[in-house]
Amino acid sequence: MNDNRDYITEAKAKAHDEKRDVDRAIQTDRTHSFFRKRTVSIAGVFEGMFLTALMALVPFLVFAGLAMWSFNATEDGVTMSWVFVLLAVAIPLFVLYRALTSKTDEPAEMLTDLIGGFWVGVFPYLLVGGLVVLAIATWLGVSVLLVLGILCVGGVILAGLTNQ
């Protein structure tokens, strides 16, 4: 028992070594994750594009349901408009579920980027255009499709005249 070992110094040295090892592991992990290349799979990109196309379909479904309901396009307009409303509610729920349960990050990332761009950059124009079509059709007392066709042809002609 005449051992002159200094247990306190050994314990401090061991703790210091362990702390140094943990710090080195953390630095290595941060460096590795910084320089690691992301792998992008084609299946993930196609899944993201499919989900984005589904989400872009929702405003059109809502608009079609609203137009059918307001103009009583069919005799069964009430039932058909509810089908459009239910599809417009079910699609975002399905897309959210698929994006959250996807095996890759591409669908969720692509979805957020493209949907954000759609709602900010495209949807206001669609909404205003739809309201203009409905207002003109109501004012003239003609079909929505007739007014939409006239405005589309007029827009193509106007675009052709301004590009000269």
Side-chain angles (χ1 to χ4, degrees):
M1 292 293 283
N2 203 357
D3 194 15
N4 289 334
R5 289 177 62 186
D6 190 5
Y7 292 106
I8 295 175
T9 305
E10 287 178 14
K12 285 181 181 179
K14 186 176 179 182
H16 179 67
D17 290 342
E18 288 176 357
K19 184 180 181 315
R20 188 180 66 233
D21 290 342
V22 168
D23 288 342
R24 186 180 306 127
I26 290 172
Q27 265 320 347
T28 304
D29 185 48
R30 284 184 186 155
T31 305
H32 178 68
S33 65
F34 180 75
F35 288 108
R36 180 178 46 204
K37 290 184 179 178
R38 287 188 45 200
T39 57
V40 176
S41 67
I42 298 298
V45 171
F46 282 132
E47 184 182 9
M49 290 171 49
F50 172 71
L51 295 177
T52 302
L54 277 178
M55 279 301 287
L57 186 65
V58 170
F60 297 108
L61 289 173
V62 171
F63 183 69
L66 179 65
M68 288 180 72
W69 174 73
S70 63
F71 286 104
N72 288 329
T74 62
E75 292 79 29
D76 195 24
V78 175
T79 305
M80 286 302 292
S81 61
W82 279 108
V83 169
F84 281 99
V85 169
L86 290 175
L87 280 173
V89 169
I91 287 174
L93 294 176
F94 171 74
V95 168
L96 181 63
Y97 171 75
R98 286 294 301 165
L100 291 177
T101 59
S102 178
K103 294 178 182 172
T104 62
D105 290 339
E106 287 92 12
E109 290 175 3
M110 186 178 291
L111 202 73
T112 54
D113 292 343
L114 292 178
I115 295 306
F118 175 80
W119 284 106
V120 172
V122 177
F123 185 70
Y125 295 110
L126 289 176
L127 182 65
V128 168
L131 291 175
V132 166
V133 167
L134 286 174
I136 292 174
T138 304
W139 182 55
L140 293 177
V142 295
S143 166
V144 173
L145 292 177
L146 178 69
V147 173
L148 185 62
I150 290 171
L151 288 178
C152 285
V153 170
V156 169
I157 291 172
L158 184 65
L161 292 175
T162 57
N163 285 334
Q164 290 179 354

